[in-house]
CSV table of all heavy atoms in Angstrom, one decimal:
chain,number,residue,atom,x,y,z
A,15,ASN,N,-66.2,78.2,21.9
A,15,ASN,CA,-65.9,77.0,21.1
A,15,ASN,C,-66.0,75.8,22.1
A,15,ASN,O,-65.3,75.8,23.1
A,15,ASN,CB,-64.5,77.2,20.5
A,15,ASN,CG,-64.2,76.0,19.6
A,15,ASN,OD1,-64.7,74.9,19.7
A,15,ASN,ND2,-63.2,76.2,18.7
A,16,ALA,N,-66.7,74.8,21.7
A,16,ALA,CA,-66.9,73.6,22.6
A,16,ALA,C,-65.6,72.8,22.7
A,16,ALA,O,-65.5,72.0,23.6
A,16,ALA,CB,-68.0,72.8,22.0
A,17,ASP,N,-64.6,73.0,21.9
A,17,ASP,CA,-63.4,72.3,21.9
A,17,ASP,C,-62.3,73.0,22.7
A,17,ASP,O,-61.1,72.6,22.7
A,17,ASP,CB,-62.9,72.0,20.5
A,17,ASP,CG,-63.8,71.0,19.8
A,17,ASP,OD1,-64.0,69.9,20.3
A,17,ASP,OD2,-64.2,71.4,18.7
A,18,GLN,N,-62.6,74.0,23.5
A,18,GLN,CA,-61.7,74.7,24.3
A,18,GLN,C,-61.9,74.3,25.8
A,18,GLN,O,-63.1,74.2,26.2
A,18,GLN,CB,-61.8,76.2,24.2
A,18,GLN,CG,-61.4,76.7,22.8
A,18,GLN,CD,-61.6,78.2,22.7
A,18,GLN,OE1,-62.3,78.8,23.5
A,18,GLN,NE2,-60.9,78.7,21.7
A,19,TYR,N,-60.8,74.0,26.5
A,19,TYR,CA,-61.0,73.6,27.9
A,19,TYR,C,-59.6,73.9,28.6
A,19,TYR,O,-58.6,73.6,28.1
A,19,TYR,CB,-61.3,72.2,28.1
A,19,TYR,CG,-61.6,71.8,29.5
A,19,TYR,CD1,-62.8,72.1,30.0
A,19,TYR,CD2,-60.6,71.3,30.3
A,19,TYR,CE1,-63.1,71.8,31.4
A,19,TYR,CE2,-60.9,71.0,31.6
A,19,TYR,CZ,-62.1,71.2,32.2
A,19,TYR,OH,-62.3,71.0,33.5
A,20,THR,N,-59.7,74.5,29.8
A,20,THR,CA,-58.5,74.7,30.6
A,20,THR,C,-58.9,74.3,32.1
A,20,THR,O,-60.0,74.6,32.6
A,20,THR,CB,-58.1,76.2,30.7
A,20,THR,OG1,-57.7,76.6,29.3
A,20,THR,CG2,-57.0,76.4,31.6
A,21,LEU,N,-58.0,73.5,32.7
A,21,LEU,CA,-58.1,73.1,34.0
A,21,LEU,C,-57.1,73.8,34.9
A,21,LEU,O,-55.9,73.8,34.5
A,21,LEU,CB,-57.9,71.6,34.2
A,21,LEU,CG,-57.7,71.0,35.6
A,21,LEU,CD1,-59.0,71.1,36.4
A,21,LEU,CD2,-57.2,69.6,35.6
A,22,VAL,N,-57.6,74.4,36.0
A,22,VAL,CA,-56.7,75.0,36.9
A,22,VAL,C,-56.8,74.2,38.2
A,22,VAL,O,-57.8,74.1,38.8
A,22,VAL,CB,-57.1,76.5,37.2
A,22,VAL,CG1,-56.2,77.1,38.3
A,22,VAL,CG2,-57.0,77.3,36.0
A,23,ALA,N,-55.7,73.6,38.6
A,23,ALA,CA,-55.6,72.8,39.8
A,23,ALA,C,-54.7,73.4,40.8
A,23,ALA,O,-53.6,73.8,40.6
A,23,ALA,CB,-55.0,71.4,39.5
A,24,LEU,N,-55.3,73.7,42.0
A,24,LEU,CA,-54.5,74.4,43.1
A,24,LEU,C,-54.4,73.5,44.3
A,24,LEU,O,-55.3,72.7,44.6
A,24,LEU,CB,-55.3,75.6,43.5
A,24,LEU,CG,-55.5,76.6,42.4
A,24,LEU,CD1,-56.4,77.8,42.9
A,24,LEU,CD2,-54.2,77.2,41.8
A,25,ASN,N,-53.2,73.6,44.9
A,25,ASN,CA,-52.9,72.8,46.1
A,25,ASN,C,-52.4,73.8,47.2
A,25,ASN,O,-51.3,74.3,47.1
A,25,ASN,CB,-51.9,71.7,45.9
A,25,ASN,CG,-51.5,70.9,47.1
A,25,ASN,OD1,-52.0,71.1,48.2
A,25,ASN,ND2,-50.5,70.0,46.9
A,26,PHE,N,-53.3,74.0,48.2
A,26,PHE,CA,-52.9,74.9,49.3
A,26,PHE,C,-52.3,74.2,50.5
A,26,PHE,O,-52.2,74.8,51.6
A,26,PHE,CB,-54.2,75.7,49.7
A,26,PHE,CG,-54.7,76.6,48.7
A,26,PHE,CD1,-55.8,76.3,47.9
A,26,PHE,CD2,-54.0,77.8,48.3
A,26,PHE,CE1,-56.3,77.1,47.0
A,26,PHE,CE2,-54.5,78.6,47.4
A,26,PHE,CZ,-55.6,78.3,46.7
A,27,THR,N,-52.0,72.9,50.4
A,27,THR,CA,-51.4,72.2,51.5
A,27,THR,C,-49.9,72.2,51.5
A,27,THR,O,-49.3,72.7,50.6
A,27,THR,CB,-51.9,70.7,51.5
A,27,THR,OG1,-51.2,70.0,50.4
A,27,THR,CG2,-53.4,70.6,51.3
A,28,GLU,N,-49.3,71.7,52.6
A,28,GLU,CA,-47.8,71.7,52.7
A,28,GLU,C,-47.2,70.4,52.0
A,28,GLU,O,-46.0,70.3,52.0
A,28,GLU,CB,-47.5,71.6,54.2
A,28,GLU,CG,-47.9,72.9,55.0
A,28,GLU,CD,-47.2,74.1,54.5
A,28,GLU,OE1,-46.0,74.1,54.1
A,28,GLU,OE2,-47.8,75.2,54.5
A,29,GLU,N,-48.1,69.6,51.5
A,29,GLU,CA,-47.6,68.3,50.8
A,29,GLU,C,-48.0,68.3,49.4
A,29,GLU,O,-49.2,68.7,49.0
A,29,GLU,CB,-48.2,67.1,51.5
A,29,GLU,CG,-47.8,67.0,53.0
A,29,GLU,CD,-46.3,66.7,53.2
A,29,GLU,OE1,-45.8,66.0,52.4
A,29,GLU,OE2,-45.8,67.2,54.2
A,30,PRO,N,-47.2,67.8,48.5
A,30,PRO,CA,-47.7,67.6,47.1
A,30,PRO,C,-48.8,66.6,47.1
A,30,PRO,O,-48.9,65.7,48.0
A,30,PRO,CB,-46.5,67.0,46.4
A,30,PRO,CG,-45.5,66.7,47.4
A,30,PRO,CD,-45.8,67.3,48.7
A,31,LYS,N,-49.7,66.7,46.2
A,31,LYS,CA,-50.9,65.8,46.2
A,31,LYS,C,-51.2,65.2,44.8
A,31,LYS,O,-50.9,65.9,43.8
A,31,LYS,CB,-52.2,66.6,46.6
A,31,LYS,CG,-52.1,67.2,48.0
A,31,LYS,CD,-52.2,66.1,49.0
A,31,LYS,CE,-52.3,66.7,50.4
A,31,LYS,NZ,-52.3,65.7,51.4
A,32,TRP,N,-51.7,64.0,44.8
A,32,TRP,CA,-52.3,63.4,43.6
A,32,TRP,C,-53.8,63.7,43.6
A,32,TRP,O,-54.4,63.5,44.6
A,32,TRP,CB,-52.0,62.0,43.5
A,32,TRP,CG,-50.5,61.7,43.2
A,32,TRP,CD1,-49.6,61.4,44.1
A,32,TRP,CD2,-49.9,61.6,41.9
A,32,TRP,NE1,-48.4,61.2,43.4
A,32,TRP,CE2,-48.6,61.3,42.1
A,32,TRP,CE3,-50.4,61.9,40.6
A,32,TRP,CZ2,-47.7,61.2,41.0
A,32,TRP,CZ3,-49.5,61.7,39.6
A,32,TRP,CH2,-48.2,61.4,39.8
A,33,ALA,N,-54.3,64.1,42.5
A,33,ALA,CA,-55.8,64.4,42.5
A,33,ALA,C,-56.3,63.7,41.2
A,33,ALA,O,-55.8,63.9,40.1
A,33,ALA,CB,-56.0,65.9,42.4
A,34,PRO,N,-57.4,63.0,41.4
A,34,PRO,CA,-58.1,62.3,40.2
A,34,PRO,C,-58.9,63.4,39.5
A,34,PRO,O,-59.5,64.3,40.0
A,34,PRO,CB,-59.0,61.3,40.8
A,34,PRO,CG,-59.3,61.8,42.2
A,34,PRO,CD,-58.1,62.6,42.6
A,35,PHE,N,-58.9,63.3,38.1
A,35,PHE,CA,-59.6,64.2,37.3
A,35,PHE,C,-60.1,63.5,36.0
A,35,PHE,O,-59.3,62.6,35.5
A,35,PHE,CB,-58.8,65.5,37.0
A,35,PHE,CG,-59.7,66.5,36.3
A,35,PHE,CD1,-60.6,67.3,37.1
A,35,PHE,CD2,-59.7,66.7,35.0
A,35,PHE,CE1,-61.4,68.2,36.5
A,35,PHE,CE2,-60.5,67.7,34.4
A,35,PHE,CZ,-61.3,68.4,35.2
A,36,TRP,N,-61.2,63.9,35.5
A,36,TRP,CA,-61.8,63.4,34.3
A,36,TRP,C,-61.8,64.5,33.3
A,36,TRP,O,-62.7,65.4,33.4
A,36,TRP,CB,-63.2,62.8,34.5
A,36,TRP,CG,-63.2,61.6,35.4
A,36,TRP,CD1,-63.4,60.3,35.0
A,36,TRP,CD2,-63.1,61.6,36.8
A,36,TRP,NE1,-63.4,59.5,36.1
A,36,TRP,CE2,-63.2,60.2,37.2
A,36,TRP,CE3,-62.9,62.5,37.8
A,36,TRP,CZ2,-63.1,59.8,38.5
A,36,TRP,CZ3,-62.8,62.1,39.1
A,36,TRP,CH2,-62.9,60.8,39.5
A,37,PHE,N,-60.9,64.6,32.3
A,37,PHE,CA,-60.9,65.6,31.3
A,37,PHE,C,-62.1,65.4,30.4
A,37,PHE,O,-62.4,64.3,30.0
A,37,PHE,CB,-59.7,65.6,30.5
A,37,PHE,CG,-58.5,66.2,31.2
A,37,PHE,CD1,-57.6,65.4,31.9
A,37,PHE,CD2,-58.2,67.6,31.2
A,37,PHE,CE1,-56.5,65.9,32.6
A,37,PHE,CE2,-57.1,68.1,31.9
A,37,PHE,CZ,-56.3,67.2,32.6
A,38,PRO,N,-62.8,66.5,30.0
A,38,PRO,CA,-64.0,66.4,29.1
A,38,PRO,C,-63.7,66.2,27.6
A,38,PRO,O,-64.5,65.7,26.9
A,38,PRO,CB,-64.7,67.7,29.3
A,38,PRO,CG,-63.7,68.7,29.6
A,38,PRO,CD,-62.6,67.9,30.4
A,39,LEU,N,-62.4,66.5,27.2
A,39,LEU,CA,-62.0,66.3,25.8
A,39,LEU,C,-60.8,65.4,25.7
A,39,LEU,O,-59.9,65.5,26.4
A,39,LEU,CB,-61.7,67.7,25.3
A,39,LEU,CG,-62.8,68.8,25.3
A,39,LEU,CD1,-62.2,70.2,24.9
A,39,LEU,CD2,-63.9,68.4,24.4
A,40,SER,N,-60.8,64.6,24.7
A,40,SER,CA,-59.7,63.7,24.4
A,40,SER,C,-58.6,64.6,23.7
A,40,SER,O,-58.9,65.6,23.1
A,40,SER,CB,-60.1,62.6,23.5
A,40,SER,OG,-61.0,61.7,24.1
A,41,GLY,N,-57.4,64.1,23.8
A,41,GLY,CA,-56.3,64.8,23.1
A,41,GLY,C,-55.1,65.2,24.0
A,41,GLY,O,-54.8,64.5,24.9
A,42,SER,N,-54.5,66.3,23.6
A,42,SER,CA,-53.3,66.7,24.4
A,42,SER,C,-53.6,68.0,25.2
A,42,SER,O,-54.5,68.8,24.7
A,42,SER,CB,-52.2,67.1,23.4
A,42,SER,OG,-51.8,65.9,22.7
A,43,TYR,N,-52.9,68.1,26.3
A,43,TYR,CA,-53.1,69.3,27.2
A,43,TYR,C,-51.7,69.9,27.5
A,43,TYR,O,-50.9,69.2,28.0
A,43,TYR,CB,-53.8,68.9,28.4
A,43,TYR,CG,-55.3,68.6,28.3
A,43,TYR,CD1,-55.7,67.4,27.7
A,43,TYR,CD2,-56.2,69.6,28.6
A,43,TYR,CE1,-57.1,67.2,27.6
A,43,TYR,CE2,-57.6,69.4,28.4
A,43,TYR,CZ,-58.0,68.1,27.9
A,43,TYR,OH,-59.3,67.9,27.7
A,44,ARG,N,-51.5,71.2,27.2
A,44,ARG,CA,-50.3,71.8,27.5
A,44,ARG,C,-50.3,72.4,28.9
A,44,ARG,O,-51.3,73.0,29.3
A,44,ARG,CB,-50.1,73.0,26.5
A,44,ARG,CG,-48.8,73.8,26.7
A,44,ARG,CD,-48.6,74.9,25.7
A,44,ARG,NE,-49.7,75.8,25.7
A,44,ARG,CZ,-50.5,76.0,24.7
A,44,ARG,NH1,-50.4,75.4,23.6
A,44,ARG,NH2,-51.5,76.9,24.8
A,45,GLU,N,-49.3,72.1,29.7
A,45,GLU,CA,-49.2,72.7,31.0
A,45,GLU,C,-48.7,74.1,30.8
A,45,GLU,O,-47.6,74.4,30.3
A,45,GLU,CB,-48.2,71.9,31.9
A,45,GLU,CG,-48.5,72.1,33.4
A,45,GLU,CD,-48.0,73.4,33.9
A,45,GLU,OE1,-47.0,73.9,33.5
A,45,GLU,OE2,-48.7,74.0,34.8
A,46,GLU,N,-49.5,75.1,31.2
A,46,GLU,CA,-49.2,76.5,30.9
A,46,GLU,C,-48.1,77.2,31.8
A,46,GLU,O,-47.5,78.2,31.4
A,46,GLU,CB,-50.5,77.3,31.0
A,46,GLU,CG,-51.6,76.8,30.1
A,46,GLU,CD,-51.4,77.1,28.7
A,46,GLU,OE1,-50.4,77.8,28.3
A,46,GLU,OE2,-52.2,76.7,27.9
A,47,LEU,N,-47.9,76.7,33.0
A,47,LEU,CA,-47.0,77.4,33.9
A,47,LEU,C,-45.5,77.0,33.6
A,47,LEU,O,-44.6,77.9,33.6
A,47,LEU,CB,-47.3,77.1,35.4
A,47,LEU,CG,-48.7,77.5,35.8
A,47,LEU,CD1,-49.0,77.1,37.3
A,47,LEU,CD2,-48.9,79.0,35.6
A,48,HIS,N,-45.2,75.8,33.5
A,48,HIS,CA,-43.8,75.3,33.3
A,48,HIS,C,-43.7,74.3,32.2
A,48,HIS,O,-42.6,73.7,32.1
A,48,HIS,CB,-43.3,74.7,34.6
A,48,HIS,CG,-43.3,75.7,35.7
A,48,HIS,ND1,-42.5,76.8,35.8
A,48,HIS,CD2,-44.2,75.8,36.8
A,48,HIS,CE1,-42.8,77.5,36.9
A,48,HIS,NE2,-43.8,76.9,37.5
A,49,GLY,N,-44.7,74.0,31.4
A,49,GLY,CA,-44.7,73.0,30.4
A,49,GLY,C,-43.6,73.3,29.3
A,49,GLY,O,-43.1,72.4,28.6
A,50,ASP,N,-43.3,74.6,29.1
A,50,ASP,CA,-42.3,74.9,28.1
A,50,ASP,C,-40.9,74.5,28.5
A,50,ASP,O,-40.0,74.3,27.7
A,50,ASP,CB,-42.4,76.4,27.7
A,50,ASP,CG,-42.2,77.3,28.9
A,50,ASP,OD1,-42.4,76.9,30.0
A,50,ASP,OD2,-41.8,78.5,28.6
A,51,VAL,N,-40.6,74.5,29.8
A,51,VAL,CA,-39.3,74.1,30.3
A,51,VAL,C,-39.2,72.7,30.9
A,51,VAL,O,-38.1,72.2,31.0
A,51,VAL,CB,-38.7,75.1,31.3
A,51,VAL,CG1,-38.5,76.5,30.7
A,51,VAL,CG2,-39.6,75.3,32.5
A,52,GLU,N,-40.4,72.2,31.2
A,52,GLU,CA,-40.5,70.8,31.7
A,52,GLU,C,-41.6,70.1,30.9
A,52,GLU,O,-42.7,69.9,31.3
A,52,GLU,CB,-40.9,70.8,33.2
A,52,GLU,CG,-39.9,71.4,34.1
A,52,GLU,CD,-40.3,71.3,35.5
A,52,GLU,OE1,-40.7,70.2,36.0
A,52,GLU,OE2,-40.3,72.4,36.2
A,53,PRO,N,-41.2,69.6,29.7
A,53,PRO,CA,-42.2,69.0,28.8
A,53,PRO,C,-43.0,67.9,29.3
A,53,PRO,O,-44.1,67.6,28.9
A,53,PRO,CB,-41.3,68.6,27.6
A,53,PRO,CG,-40.1,69.3,27.7
A,53,PRO,CD,-39.8,69.6,29.1
A,54,GLY,N,-42.4,67.2,30.3
A,54,GLY,CA,-43.1,66.0,30.9
A,54,GLY,C,-44.4,66.4,31.7
A,54,GLY,O,-45.2,65.6,32.0
A,55,LEU,N,-44.6,67.7,31.9
A,55,LEU,CA,-45.7,68.2,32.6
A,55,LEU,C,-47.0,68.3,31.7
A,55,LEU,O,-48.1,68.2,32.2
A,55,LEU,CB,-45.5,69.6,33.2
A,55,LEU,CG,-44.4,69.7,34.3
A,55,LEU,CD1,-44.2,71.1,34.8
A,55,LEU,CD2,-44.8,68.8,35.5
A,56,SER,N,-46.7,68.4,30.4
A,56,SER,CA,-47.9,68.4,29.5
A,56,SER,C,-48.4,67.0,29.3
A,56,SER,O,-47.6,66.0,29.6
A,56,SER,CB,-47.4,69.0,28.1
A,56,SER,OG,-47.1,70.4,28.3
A,57,LEU,N,-49.6,66.9,28.9
A,57,LEU,CA,-50.3,65.5,28.8
A,57,LEU,C,-50.6,65.2,27.4
A,57,LEU,O,-51.1,66.1,26.7
A,57,LEU,CB,-51.5,65.5,29.7
A,57,LEU,CG,-51.4,66.0,31.1
A,57,LEU,CD1,-52.7,66.1,31.8
A,57,LEU,CD2,-50.5,65.0,31.9
A,58,SER,N,-50.4,64.0,27.0
A,58,SER,CA,-50.8,63.6,25.6
A,58,SER,C,-51.6,62.3,25.7
A,58,SER,O,-51.4,61.6,26.7
A,58,SER,CB,-49.6,63.4,24.7
A,58,SER,OG,-48.7,62.4,25.2
A,59,GLY,N,-52.4,62.0,24.8
A,59,GLY,CA,-53.1,60.7,24.8
A,59,GLY,C,-54.2,60.7,25.8
A,59,GLY,O,-54.6,59.6,26.2
A,60,VAL,N,-54.7,61.9,26.2
A,60,VAL,CA,-55.8,61.9,27.2
A,60,VAL,C,-57.1,61.4,26.6
A,60,VAL,O,-57.4,61.8,25.5
A,60,VAL,CB,-56.0,63.4,27.7
A,60,VAL,CG1,-57.2,63.5,28.6
A,60,VAL,CG2,-54.7,63.8,28.5
A,61,GLU,N,-57.8,60.5,27.3
A,61,GLU,CA,-59.1,60.0,26.8
A,61,GLU,C,-60.1,60.7,27.6
A,61,GLU,O,-60.1,60.8,28.8
A,61,GLU,CB,-59.2,58.5,27.0
A,61,GLU,CG,-58.2,57.7,26.2
A,61,GLU,CD,-58.4,56.3,26.4
A,61,GLU,OE1,-59.5,55.8,26.3
A,61,GLU,OE2,-57.4,55.6,26.6
A,62,ALA,N,-61.1,61.2,26.9
A,62,ALA,CA,-62.2,62.0,27.5
A,62,ALA,C,-62.9,61.1,28.6
A,62,ALA,O,-63.2,59.9,28.3
A,62,ALA,CB,-63.2,62.5,26.5
A,63,LEU,N,-63.2,61.7,29.7
A,63,LEU,CA,-64.0,61.0,30.8
A,63,LEU,C,-63.4,59.8,31.4
A,63,LEU,O,-64.1,59.0,32.0
A,63,LEU,CB,-65.4,60.8,30.3
A,63,LEU,CG,-66.1,62.0,29.7
A,63,LEU,CD1,-67.5,61.7,29.3
A,63,LEU,CD2,-66.2,63.2,30.8
A,64,VAL,N,-62.1,59.6,31.2
A,64,VAL,CA,-61.4,58.5,31.8
A,64,VAL,C,-60.6,59.1,32.9
A,64,VAL,O,-59.8,60.0,32.7
A,64,VAL,CB,-60.4,57.8,30.8
A,64,VAL,CG1,-59.6,56.7,31.5
A,64,VAL,CG2,-61.3,57.2,29.7
A,65,PRO,N,-60.7,58.5,34.2
A,65,PRO,CA,-60.0,59.1,35.3
A,65,PRO,C,-58.5,59.1,35.1
A,65,PRO,O,-57.9,58.2,34.6
A,65,PRO,CB,-60.3,58.2,36.5
A,65,PRO,CG,-61.2,57.1,36.0
A,65,PRO,CD,-61.4,57.3,34.5
A,66,ARG,N,-57.9,60.2,35.5
A,66,ARG,CA,-56.4,60.4,35.4
A,66,ARG,C,-55.9,61.1,36.6
A,66,ARG,O,-56.5,62.1,37.1
A,66,ARG,CB,-56.1,61.2,34.1
A,66,ARG,CG,-54.6,61.4,33.8
A,66,ARG,CD,-54.4,62.2,32.6
A,66,ARG,NE,-53.1,62.0,32.1
A,66,ARG,CZ,-52.7,61.5,31.0
A,66,ARG,NH1,-53.6,61.0,30.2
A,66,ARG,NH2,-51.5,61.4,30.7
A,67,ASP,N,-54.9,60.5,37.3
A,67,ASP,CA,-54.3,61.2,38.5
A,67,ASP,C,-53.3,62.2,38.0
A,67,ASP,O,-52.4,62.0,37.2
A,67,ASP,CB,-53.6,60.1,39.3
A,67,ASP,CG,-54.6,59.2,40.0
A,67,ASP,OD1,-55.7,59.6,40.3
A,67,ASP,OD2,-54.2,58.0,40.3
A,68,LEU,N,-53.5,63.4,38.6
A,68,LEU,CA,-52.7,64.6,38.3
A,68,LEU,C,-51.9,64.9,39.6
A,68,LEU,O,-52.4,65.0,40.7
A,68,LEU,CB,-53.5,65.8,37.9
A,68,LEU,CG,-54.4,65.5,36.7
A,68,LEU,CD1,-55.4,66.7,36.5
A,68,LEU,CD2,-53.6,65.2,35.5
A,69,TRP,N,-50.6,65.2,39.4
A,69,TRP,CA,-49.7,65.6,40.5
A,69,TRP,C,-49.7,67.1,40.6
A,69,TRP,O,-49.4,67.8,39.6
A,69,TRP,CB,-48.3,65.0,40.3
A,69,TRP,CG,-47.4,65.3,41.4
A,69,TRP,CD1,-47.3,64.6,42.6
A,69,TRP,CD2,-46.4,66.3,41.5
A,69,TRP,NE1,-46.3,65.2,43.4
A,69,TRP,CE2,-45.8,66.2,42.7
A,69,TRP,CE3,-46.0,67.3,40.6
A,69,TRP,CZ2,-44.7,67.1,43.1
A,69,TRP,CZ3,-45.0,68.2,41.0
A,69,TRP,CH2,-44.3,68.0,42.3
A,70,VAL,N,-50.0,67.6,41.8
A,70,VAL,CA,-49.9,69.1,42.0
A,70,VAL,C,-49.0,69.4,43.2
A,70,VAL,O,-49.2,68.8,44.3
A,70,VAL,CB,-51.3,69.6,42.3
A,70,VAL,CG1,-51.3,71.1,42.5
A,70,VAL,CG2,-52.3,69.2,41.2
A,71,PRO,N,-47.9,70.2,43.0
A,71,PRO,CA,-47.0,70.4,44.0
A,71,PRO,C,-47.6,71.2,45.2
A,71,PRO,O,-48.6,71.9,45.0
A,71,PRO,CB,-45.9,71.2,43.4
A,71,PRO,CG,-46.4,71.6,42.0
A,71,PRO,CD,-47.6,70.8,41.7
A,72,SER,N,-47.0,71.1,46.4
A,72,SER,CA,-47.5,71.8,47.5
A,72,SER,C,-47.4,73.3,47.4
A,72,SER,O,-46.5,73.9,46.7
A,72,SER,CB,-46.6,71.4,48.8
A,72,SER,OG,-45.3,71.9,48.6
A,73,ASN,N,-48.4,74.0,47.9
A,73,ASN,CA,-48.5,75.5,47.9
A,73,ASN,C,-48.4,76.0,46.5
A,73,ASN,O,-47.7,77.1,46.3
A,73,ASN,CB,-47.5,76.1,48.8
A,73,ASN,CG,-47.8,75.7,50.3
A,73,ASN,OD1,-48.9,76.0,50.8
A,73,ASN,ND2,-46.9,75.1,50.9
A,74,TYR,N,-48.9,75.3,45.5
A,74,TYR,CA,-48.7,75.7,44.1
A,74,TYR,C,-49.9,75.2,43.3
A,74,TYR,O,-50.9,74.8,43.8
A,74,TYR,CB,-47.4,75.2,43.6
A,74,TYR,CG,-46.8,76.0,42.4
A,74,TYR,CD1,-46.4,77.3,42.6
A,74,TYR,CD2,-46.7,75.4,41.2
A,74,TYR,CE1,-45.9,78.0,41.5
A,74,TYR,CE2,-46.2,76.2,40.1
A,74,TYR,CZ,-45.8,77.5,40.3
A,74,TYR,OH,-45.3,78.2,39.3
A,75,GLY,N,-49.7,75.2,42.0
A,75,GLY,CA,-50.8,74.7,41.1
A,75,GLY,C,-50.3,74.3,39.8
A,75,GLY,O,-49.1,74.4,39.5
A,76,ARG,N,-51.2,73.9,39.0
A,76,ARG,CA,-50.9,73.5,37.6
A,76,ARG,C,-52.1,74.0,36.7
A,76,ARG,O,-53.2,74.1,37.2
A,76,ARG,CB,-50.8,72.0,37.4
A,76,ARG,CG,-49.6,71.4,38.1
A,76,ARG,CD,-48.4,71.5,37.3
A,76,ARG,NE,-47.2,70.8,37.9
A,76,ARG,CZ,-46.1,71.5,38.2
A,76,ARG,NH1,-45.9,72.7,37.9
A,76,ARG,NH2,-45.2,70.8,38.8
A,77,VAL,N,-51.8,74.4,35.5
A,77,VAL,CA,-52.8,74.8,34.5
A,77,VAL,C,-52.6,74.0,33.2
A,77,VAL,O,-51.5,74.1,32.6
A,77,VAL,CB,-52.7,76.3,34.2
A,77,VAL,CG1,-53.7,76.8,33.2
A,77,VAL,CG2,-52.8,77.1,35.5
A,78,TRP,N,-53.6,73.3,32.9
A,78,TRP,CA,-53.6,72.5,31.6
A,78,TRP,C,-54.6,73.0,30.7
A,78,TRP,O,-55.8,73.1,31.0
A,78,TRP,CB,-53.8,71.0,31.9
A,78,TRP,CG,-52.7,70.3,32.6
A,78,TRP,CD1,-51.6,69.8,32.0
A,78,TRP,CD2,-52.6,69.9,34.0
A,78,TRP,NE1,-50.8,69.1,33.0
A,78,TRP,CE2,-51.4,69.2,34.2
A,78,TRP,CE3,-53.5,70.2,35.1
A,78,TRP,CZ2,-51.0,68.8,35.4
A,78,TRP,CZ3,-53.1,69.7,36.3
A,78,TRP,CH2,-51.9,69.0,36.5
A,79,THR,N,-54.2,73.2,29.4
A,79,THR,CA,-55.1,73.7,28.4
A,79,THR,C,-55.1,72.7,27.2
A,79,THR,O,-54.1,72.3,26.7
A,79,THR,CB,-54.7,75.1,27.9
A,79,THR,OG1,-54.8,76.0,29.0
A,79,THR,CG2,-55.6,75.6,26.7
A,80,HIS,N,-56.3,72.4,26.7
A,80,HIS,CA,-56.5,71.5,25.6
A,80,HIS,C,-55.9,72.2,24.4
A,80,HIS,O,-56.2,73.3,24.1
A,80,HIS,CB,-58.0,71.2,25.4
A,80,HIS,CG,-58.2,70.2,24.3
A,80,HIS,ND1,-58.7,70.6,23.1
A,80,HIS,CD2,-58.1,68.9,24.3
A,80,HIS,CE1,-58.9,69.5,22.4
A,80,HIS,NE2,-58.5,68.4,23.1
A,81,VAL,N,-55.1,71.4,23.6
A,81,VAL,CA,-54.5,72.0,22.4
A,81,VAL,C,-54.8,71.1,21.2
A,81,VAL,O,-55.2,70.0,21.3
A,81,VAL,CB,-52.9,72.1,22.5
A,81,VAL,CG1,-52.6,73.2,23.5
A,81,VAL,CG2,-52.3,70.8,22.9
């Protein structure tokens, strides 16, 4: 399905990082790892192909899925 998209962002450094990203689909993205307990991690109002800075904690990652 062309409307399905998941981004996996990994950070292997000792410092949290901001990373620019351009999502291909507009809409909302659920953060799959901790979005159910930290709702602020999920994204809403995403515009396709508009740069967005994403915060990724050190030695960890984030997974966002279009919903």
Side-chain angles (χ1 to χ4, degrees):
N15 184 342
D17 292 305
Q18 294 179 341
Y19 186 81
T20 296
L21 168 67
V22 177
L24 302 173
N25 178 2
F26 294 106
T27 72
E28 297 295 323
E29 300 291 327
K31 299 289 182 182
W32 287 97
F35 190 76
W36 295 256
F37 285 95
L39 302 171
S40 294
S42 296
Y43 287 79
R44 179 179 58 242
E45 202 288 320
E46 303 286 357
L47 300 177
H48 301 288
D50 57 339
V51 294
E52 295 180 53
L55 295 176
S56 293
L57 308 172
S58 61
V60 172
E61 295 182 48
L63 306 178
V64 173
R66 185 177 194 117
D67 288 330
L68 303 173
W69 183 80
V70 184
S72 64
N73 296 303
Y74 204 66
R76 295 276 184 237
V77 179
W78 288 279
T79 297
H80 185 255
V81 292

